[in-house]
Amino acid sequence: MTDRWALAPAEDGGVEIAPLGPDGLPTGPVRREADLGEAVRGRPEVARWVWRSTAEVYPRLLATGVRVERCYDIEDAETLLLGHEGRHGEPRSAAAALARLRRLPVPPDPPQRAAEPGSQSPLFEPQAVHLPLADLVEVYADQQRRHDATAHPERMRLLTAAESAGMLVAAEMNRAGLPWSAEAHRGVLHELLGERYAGGGEPRRLAELADEVSAAFGRRVRPDLPADVIKAFAQAGIKIRSTRRWEIESLDHPAVKPLVEYKKLYRIWVAHGWSWLQDWVRDGRFRPEFLAGGTVTGRWVTNGGGGLQIPKVIRRAVVADPGWRLVVADADQMEPRVLAAISRDPGLMEVAGRETDLYQSVSDRAFSGDRAQAKLAVLGAVYGQTSGDGLKNLAALRRRFPRAVAYVDEAARAGEEGRLVRTWLGRTCPPAAGASDAAEEAGIPVPDAEDEPAGGAGPQEWVPGYASTNARARGRFARNFVVQGSAADWALLLLAALRRTCADMAAELVFFQHDEVIVHCPEEESEAVVTAIREAAELAGRLTFGETPVRFPFTTAVVESYADAK
């Protein structure tokens, strides 16, 4: 009996299913059933379901109380395979893949919808990309052949499986929601912003700060309008290019202090104020739409709600249910540990395998015990800071850890030359990544959180001054991509392992961001969850990078409020 079945929802609400063999082709007839949930629930022996899109199918299954262990997301696999083949940006829908396979005109991908508060509908409208099961299976079988043609087929298959697992985790997190106390949130807003005025105008504290800014300039100035602020400073004899905090906070002018405070509070009011609370929090849960693999490096994003941009002060509203706890886990010094694993540098792997602080260990070997310099050197190597003190630090790092530095140097050269660059498992960086993506992912300085526009998907969509793509920017992006992308691959396997353990508990994954995960669980399960996170990290390290001495430890905290974890 096969343990892999294909599934395709029918346009009339039914479902088509069929068993598959190792080559991806059907081993039995296509069967038609009237109900999606019953079709899956009635086959607990199926280890992996193959379907077009997790976003289309899995929320519907979860709504009927059906959980699946594993899946294969055809459209996500198509994205990964297109990237590996150097065809990044081509349409990635199953319909497009089928058209390419049959040498027919390739349809464009359906437009991505904007998330709506409280919406649990799939990212793409299913009726726009519906394919019968026979067509989906044809695409799936071709994808199996394409996996075999990659440079490291087993790694690529693992990446595809990990990405599909991430899609399941994201759907479950979307359904569970992040525990959120509206009462605590309103308390924070009142504490910071004061009373709300009728008509939706600025709250009291912002109005007071706006008056202070105007008084400092001697005329009425709108601090929420950058052009007005720049003009006011110019009239005061001070030329500035923008109103970002790092540019104005060092100025010698009485308007600076209230202006900086205004910008900080204005960001909170617009991005996480009363209107946001009303739109995005329902029944004690905040439900942003988590999207696995939303960036080139594989990092996640959220569609709506700014779920990955929760300010520290607002985290006081993330509160566990009565009798439950939040287990908040942060990966320790992930970038240098991943660099050690992918470069196979003996010295850095030995350092990354110690129980002691990694940066301190690096400093003892290469920087005379100066931990701060060691940290700057390691992160400079990853992010491409190779001028000034960064160049001197890099030279010291290269003497002690030559293979590690050579690894990212080669990635940077490949990026500059327009070659494809891959993570350890095979996720591929396009040869001409957008400069704004490169800036966000490669560590080029971007505005502070309070300087970002509210409601956006993150700083990768808003990096003024990086409008052009050049070889150096691509090189910096590629240098960082091999580390950050490999870290994202590892994180997916961590989530998959943790999800499997939590399946036997009441605990639920409720938040994930780059190198941080939050599990909501009954208080009596909290220690078991801490153990599960540690074991999942170890397993993910072995699965992703093979047997190395590198450790991937987490700092964990069992708390009632997210704010107490920091």
Side-chain angles (χ1 to χ4, degrees), residues 335-337 339 348 358-359 362 367 372-384 393-394 397 401 408:
E335 290 94 342
R337 295 179 188 279
L339 177 57
L348 192 55
L358 184 145
Y359 291 126
V362 170
F367 294 93
Q373 285 295 104
K375 183 174 182 179
L376 286 174
V378 172
L379 296 182
V382 173
Y383 293 111
N393 292 337
L394 188 62
L397 199 69
F401 310 108
V408 289

Side-chain angles (χ1 to χ4, degrees), residues 208-286:
E208 292 172 351
L209 289 168
D211 288 343
E212 291 181 34
V213 170
S214 296
F217 283 119
R219 70 173 183 83
R220 190 65 188 170
V221 175
R222 288 276 304 275
D224 59 321
L225 299 180
D228 205 13
V229 174
I230 291 172
K231 180 180 179 181
F233 273 118
Q235 291 175 341
I238 301 173
K239 186 177 181 179
I240 58 174
R241 293 176 298 177
S242 74
T243 61
R244 282 175 275 179
R245 187 180 66 181
W246 61 265
E247 185 169 356
I248 66 174
E249 63 184 357
S250 61
L251 300 177
D252 183 16
H253 191 279
V256 169
K257 184 177 179 181
L259 180 59
V260 169
E261 181 68 10
Y262 179 95
K263 287 169 60 63
K264 175 182 176 181
L265 295 181
Y266 182 84
R267 168 69 185 177
I268 291 173
W269 176 53
V270 172
H272 289 91
W274 292 277
S275 295
W276 180 94
L277 179 61
Q278 181 177 350
D279 286 344
W280 292 101
V281 176
R282 287 284 187 280
D283 302 322
R285 293 291 187 273
F286 166 42

Side-chain angles (χ1 to χ4, degrees), residues 15-269:
V15 60
E16 295 178 324
I17 58 175
L20 301 176
D23 58 0
L25 297 174
T27 59
V30 173
R31 307 179 189 184
R32 184 176 181 83
E33 300 201 9
D35 183 79
L36 171 64
E38 289 304 316
V40 175
R41 184 183 289 109
R43 290 174 174 81
E45 76 282 0
V46 177
R48 191 186 305 272
W49 288 94
V50 176
W51 51 46
R52 179 190 70 82
S53 168
T54 304
E56 174 194 17
V57 177
Y58 200 41
R60 292 170 58 186
L61 289 173
L62 290 173
T64 63
V66 177
R67 179 187 184 277
V68 302
E69 184 67 25
R70 296 178 182 177
C71 76
Y72 178 101
D73 188 305
I74 288 175
E75 293 193 335
D76 185 63
E78 187 67 16
T79 302
L80 295 173
L81 287 166
L82 285 172
H84 198 281
E85 295 160 355
R87 301 160 68 185
H88 181 84
E90 291 188 25
R92 40 88 67 184
S93 71
L98 182 68
R100 279 190 292 266
L101 184 57
R102 295 178 175 175
R103 302 184 183 279
L104 298 173
V106 178
D109 287 336
Q112 181 174 325
R113 65 164 178 80
E116 298 178 0
S119 171
Q120 294 293 305
S121 58
L123 182 61
F124 295 105
E125 295 299 328
Q127 63 268 24
V129 289
H130 169 78
L131 288 179
L133 185 71
D135 291 345
L136 284 179
V137 169
E138 186 176 344
V139 172
Y140 174 67
D142 180 62
Q143 288 182 347
Q144 301 316 294
R145 294 188 288 269
R146 289 159 67 193
H147 274 88
D148 289 338
T150 60
H152 299 281
E154 291 308 311
R155 291 189 196 174
M156 193 65 185
R157 289 183 185 280
L158 179 60
L159 174 62
T160 302
E163 277 274 280
S164 291
M167 299 286 178
L168 295 177
V169 172
E172 290 168 0
M173 286 171 49
N174 291 341
R175 182 162 183 83
L178 183 63
W180 200 278
S181 169
E183 180 181 1
H185 191 150
R186 284 190 286 266
V188 171
L189 295 178
H190 187 272
E191 173 187 325
L192 295 176
L193 301 172
E195 296 80 12
R196 301 171 67 184
Y197 292 147
E202 290 184 341
R204 175 180 55 79
R205 182 57 183 150
L206 283 180
E208 292 172 351
L209 289 168
D211 288 343
E212 291 181 34
V213 170
S214 296
F217 283 119
R219 70 173 183 83
R220 190 65 188 170
V221 175
R222 288 276 304 275
D224 59 321
L225 299 180
D228 205 13
V229 174
I230 291 172
K231 180 180 179 181
F233 273 118
Q235 291 175 341
I238 301 173
K239 186 177 181 179
I240 58 174
R241 293 176 298 177
S242 74
T243 61
R244 282 175 275 179
R245 187 180 66 181
W246 61 265
E247 185 169 356
I248 66 174
E249 63 184 357
S250 61
L251 300 177
D252 183 16
H253 191 279
V256 169
K257 184 177 179 181
L259 180 59
V260 169
E261 181 68 10
Y262 179 95
K263 287 169 60 63
K264 175 182 176 181
L265 295 181
Y266 182 84
R267 168 69 185 177
I268 291 173
W269 176 53

Side-chain angles (χ1 to χ4, degrees), residues 265-541:
L265 295 181
Y266 182 84
R267 168 69 185 177
I268 291 173
W269 176 53
V270 172
H272 289 91
W274 292 277
S275 295
W276 180 94
L277 179 61
Q278 181 177 350
D279 286 344
W280 292 101
V281 176
R282 287 284 187 280
D283 302 322
R285 293 291 187 273
F286 166 42
R287 289 187 172 87
E289 184 179 28
F290 287 95
L291 304 179
T295 66
V296 171
T297 62
R299 283 184 166 188
W300 287 25
V301 298
T302 57
N303 182 27
L308 301 185
Q309 301 173 20
I310 305 174
K312 289 184 178 181
V313 67
I314 298 296
R315 292 176 185 178
R316 287 154 58 182
V318 182
V319 179
D321 292 344
W324 288 52
R325 294 293 182 268
L326 300 172
V327 180
V328 182
D330 262 323
D332 296 335
Q333 303 154 338
M334 179 186 286
E335 290 94 342
R337 295 179 188 279
V338 170
L339 177 57
I342 62 179
S343 69
R344 295 304 205 254
D345 186 289
L348 192 55
M349 284 197 296
E350 189 273 330
V351 166
R354 296 181 185 179
E355 297 284 344
T356 54
D357 176 79
L358 184 145
Y359 291 126
Q360 188 60 55
S361 297
V362 170
S363 71
D364 292 341
R365 295 189 63 168
F367 294 93
S368 303
D370 189 334
R371 184 185 184 280
Q373 285 295 104
K375 183 174 182 179
L376 286 174
V378 172
L379 296 182
V382 173
Y383 293 111
Q385 185 181 359
T386 56
S387 60
D389 287 342
L391 188 62
K392 180 178 66 176
N393 292 337
L394 188 62
L397 199 69
R398 183 177 283 110
R399 287 193 296 271
R400 289 293 187 179
F401 310 108
R403 290 182 64 176
V405 177
Y407 193 94
V408 289
D409 282 349
E410 171 55 27
R413 281 192 296 271
E416 290 175 1
E417 294 167 6
R419 291 183 276 139
L420 297 176
V421 178
R422 309 192 200 283
T423 66
W424 184 258
L425 292 185
R427 189 188 306 273
T428 304
C429 167
S436 60
D437 277 337
E440 191 269 342
E441 299 287 2
I444 296 174
V446 295
D448 294 314
E450 62 265 32
D451 290 318
E452 297 164 12
Q460 72 272 15
E461 292 190 354
W462 189 72
V463 187
Y466 293 98
S468 64
T469 302
N470 54 50
R472 185 181 178 193
R474 290 197 299 272
R476 291 185 69 184
F477 179 52
R479 171 188 295 273
N480 178 249
F481 175 86
V482 294
V483 179
Q484 289 285 7
S486 296
D489 297 348
W490 167 84
L492 284 170
L493 289 165
L494 161 80
L495 290 174
L498 185 57
R499 174 180 181 263
R500 172 174 287 189
T501 302
C502 289
D504 298 325
M505 308 165 66
E508 53 188 6
L509 277 159
V510 294
F511 185 80
F512 169 65
Q513 176 180 252
H514 311 328
D515 56 0
E516 182 178 27
V517 64
I518 300 179
V519 177
H520 185 226
C521 65
E523 183 176 4
E524 60 271 18
E525 289 184 355
S526 58
E527 290 308 310
V529 170
V530 170
T531 300
I533 292 171
R534 182 182 68 249
E535 293 176 348
E538 294 171 356
L539 177 59

